Amino acid sequence: MNSVLESSVADCNPASEPDYTPLTQLRDLQLQRLQAVVARAWRQVELFRSRMDERGLAPQQIRSLEDIGKLPFTAKSDLRDTYPFGLFASPMKDVVRLHVSSGTTGKPIVVAYTKEDLDVWTSVMVRCLAGCGLHRGDIIQVAYGYGLFTGGLGAHYGAEGLGATVVPASTGNADRQIMLMKDFGVTAISCTPTYFLHLIDRAAELGVDMKELPLRAGIFGAEPWTDSMRRHIESMSRIEAFDIYGLSEIIGPGVGCECRQHQGLHVFEDHFYPEIVDPITGEPLPDGCEGELVLTTLSKQAMPMIRYRTRDISMILPGRCECGRTLRRIGRIGRRSDDMLIIRGVNIFPSQVETALLQIEGTLPHYQIVLTREQGLDQMEVQVEVTPQMFTDKIGALQGLHDRLQEALDRVLGIRVSIALVEANTIERSEGKAKRVIDRRTL
Ligand code: DLL
């Protein structure tokens, strides 16, 4: 961990107080809110009421937090099937904001917020940023997309709510992003980790040394990234990198965030109730076991989500965090249950490839997986950028690198895949979520 941050004033920020609520009080509050949200969803949302009725379940039967397991799940398909407004629990006159998440296939999903929902969103984002050691006086550049995506506006209102100075840069135009960081003395940036990698590369090309900038924290999320990636980012830019998690269906960014211990992400449990279930059977799993994260919104008005199946794979970390927060923590989300590739019968996640690549010196954390099918057999090629230095070296050095990579990938993946070493800057950069897999298999 990088230790360049000054001692944090932010943890004394009154906005962070709910993070330290005594556990019995927190559980009481959660139960009270759960009962209210279930009653509301049952009254206002037809899909939810009919699912509960089918189970012969009435809202009054939710008497303890454990009873949450009796409630039906909600899935992304429910949002698609009721597109656009079918899951709203508030009349349109109370809905003050809509966001849209496009996803990869089919119709987008629409999410809604009342004024109170926006206040909750801002408050959890303030708590995220305060937990990262940021406070009034910081200059925060928001380089997530502003618009239908929740990243930009979510981080924006959080930073403003904290009392920091916001630079609403949105995505794109790396040269201008770097100029703003330098000229304004930006102290923190919020964007996807892959976009920040791009900014690091571009800054070097422009002769700007990131390590010399006042930038001291990065709040990165919206896509999976690994601890190896964190180390790479921290060593290239001398900042402290934090993982922030969220999804449109639940609120946007701000469902959970790392504190300065970097031991998992605290979930803002007074608003979002986490469970981990077996992705296949839906059965609840104990703390410390990996499974699918299921989230229930405890205070959402416009669009409550009851037991929403996120498809994100994580675990509830046992024990308490040394920071003193009573909020439970989830492990970093390295993968989704639906991003698993099955190549010649072997299960592969893109994050495993990233872990293998970052172990090998001479490669850059820019990679892409290309899938093809030859004579009925799936082929996987990992394209990985190598440092310009490697390309100017002798051929033997490239071959050596190739062999080391092959060995690391064989070990991590358990099958042989082909590797293409490509020059720096040849893999397309993304301004938002990186596209790691190109599937050219024709079914
Ligand atoms: O990505 C919200 C967000 C914006 C989170 C900015 C953090 C920062 P969606 O576009 O609805 O919302 O995508 C949600 O992105 O289910 C995860 O699969 C993935 N995701 C989000 N944060 C992380 C993270 C925003 N820190 C989906 N690590 C989620 C891994 C993440 N995956």
Side-chain angles (χ1 to χ4, degrees):
M1 189 182 102
N2 198 320
S3 60
V4 292
L5 286 181
E6 309 139 19
S7 73
S8 153
V9 190
D11 282 353
C12 313
N13 186 326
S16 311
E17 261 169 40
D19 297 1
Y20 301 90
T21 309
L23 268 187
T24 44
Q25 208 176 311
L26 178 60
R27 299 287 170 253
D28 285 350
L29 177 73
Q30 287 177 317
L31 177 58
Q32 217 179 318
R33 289 186 171 172
L34 176 68
Q35 290 169 328
V37 81
V38 168
R40 180 179 171 80
W42 186 84
R43 268 197 323 272
Q44 312 282 19
V45 185
E46 201 199 313
L47 178 113
F48 186 66
R49 186 171 49 247
S50 62
R51 291 227 174 118
M52 280 190 64
D53 290 351
E54 274 164 27
R55 295 179 167 220
L57 189 63
Q60 307 79 281
Q61 285 168 267
I62 304 302
R63 296 196 188 91
S64 69
L65 283 174
E66 289 67 50
D67 287 341
I68 198 168
K70 296 178 180 165
L71 293 164
F73 289 120
T74 313
K76 192 167 218 148
S77 54
D78 296 325
L79 282 115
R80 293 223 165 94
D81 296 346
T82 56
Y83 175 88
F85 304 148
L87 294 187
F88 289 12
S90 295
M92 211 54 180
K93 68 178 172 44
D94 295 335
V95 171
V96 299
R97 174 98 66 82
L98 299 173
H99 278 281
V100 170
S101 162
S102 38
T104 42
T105 49
K107 282 261 177 65
I109 57 155
V110 183
V111 295
Y113 304 77
T114 63
K115 174 76 182 61
E116 292 74 29
D117 294 334
L118 289 182
D119 291 345
V120 167
W121 192 10
T122 297
S123 75
V124 289
M125 278 304 300
V126 168
R127 288 159 68 185
C128 286
L129 299 172
C132 299
L134 301 176
H135 41 76
R136 190 176 181 156
D138 271 301
I139 304 178
I140 305 180
Q141 186 154 325
V142 177
Y144 286 117
Y146 279 63
L148 293 174
F149 176 54
T150 53
L153 287 169
H156 180 100
Y157 283 105
E160 240 177 46
L162 184 71
T165 307
V166 188
V167 182
S170 195
T171 50
N173 201 338
D175 292 11
R176 193 180 55 189
Q177 301 270 1
I178 294 159
M179 181 194 80
L180 296 173
M181 281 156 74
K182 193 163 153 260
D183 295 352
F184 294 178
V186 166
T187 55
I189 187 165
S190 200
C191 58
T192 58
T194 48
Y195 190 54
F196 189 66
L197 282 178
H198 176 50
L199 294 181
I200 293 177
D201 292 350
R202 187 63 194 144
E205 284 166 11
L206 296 172
V208 175
D209 186 355
M210 276 268 185
K211 291 182 186 158
E212 298 300 319
L213 297 181
L215 193 73
R216 60 189 174 85
I219 298 91
F220 302 127
E223 64 183 4
W225 56 302
T226 57
D227 253 330
S228 330
M229 177 86 93
R230 186 213 304 275
R231 283 192 292 276
H232 176 83
I233 286 177
E234 289 186 340
S235 72
M236 299 299 285
S237 60
R238 209 178 286 155
I239 64 166
E240 187 172 349
F242 294 88
D243 192 4
I244 183 169
Y245 169 74
L247 61 165
S248 319
E249 298 88 315
I250 298 301
I251 201 142
V255 171
C257 193
E258 283 182 338
C259 66
R260 299 198 58 201
Q261 300 293 326
H262 300 278
Q263 300 291 324
L265 295 87
H266 289 282
V267 175
F268 297 102
E269 281 196 83
D270 41 339
H271 297 292
F272 317 112
Y273 190 86
E275 296 172 85
I276 297 289
V277 304
D278 181 309
I280 296 164
T281 64
E283 282 307 307
L285 293 173
D287 290 1
C289 272
E290 197 177 69
E292 181 179 342
L293 178 65
V294 170
L295 290 165
T296 298
T297 60
L298 295 177
S299 53
K300 204 79 174 308
Q301 298 287 312
M303 206 172 127
M305 277 290 141
I306 310 288
R307 302 195 85 205
Y308 184 70
R309 306 261 322 227
T310 65
R311 304 267 167 215
D312 291 322
I313 302 294
S314 184
M315 64 170 80
I316 293 183
L317 299 175
R320 287 271 285 273
C321 183
E322 282 180 22
C323 73
R325 284 177 178 76
T326 47
L327 304 171
R328 283 180 291 175
R329 293 160 301 156
I330 52 170
R332 270 175 105 82
I333 287 135
R335 60 192 176 95
R336 291 174 54 81
S337 60
D338 52 8
D339 72 1
M340 188 174 80
L341 307 167
I342 304 180
I343 305 296
R344 303 195 292 274
V346 177
N347 300 346
I348 292 179
F349 289 96
S351 56
Q352 293 176 292
V353 172
E354 181 171 311
T355 305
L357 295 183
L358 284 163
Q359 289 166 358
I360 308 291
E361 207 175 316
T363 62
L364 294 168
H366 300 290
Y367 66 94
Q368 217 157 37
I369 296 168
V370 181
L371 303 176
T372 49
R373 184 165 290 158
E374 284 166 29
Q375 290 161 350
L377 258 194
D378 287 340
Q379 307 293 336
M380 173 170 152
E381 180 180 79
V382 178
Q383 299 181 340
V384 50
E385 286 187 9
V386 300
T387 55
Q389 169 70 19
M390 283 311 288
F391 262 103
T392 52
D393 278 357
K394 296 191 193 77
I395 296 288
L398 268 186
Q399 187 58 47
L401 176 66
H402 184 280
D403 295 347
R404 286 197 300 285
L405 270 175
Q406 189 80 63
E407 202 215 325
L409 284 170
D410 283 356
R411 192 167 5 97
V412 172
L413 305 180
I415 58 163
R416 173 73 35 135
V417 299
S418 57
I419 297 171
L421 300 181
V422 298
E423 281 185 61
N425 279 321
T426 44
I427 292 175
E428 199 189 334
R429 298 292 188 262
S430 126
E431 293 171 355
K433 297 172 193 268
K435 186 161 171 50
R436 294 298 191 195
V437 181
I438 310 282
D439 197 344
R440 299 211 178 106
R441 294 175 292 186
T442 38
L443 297 170

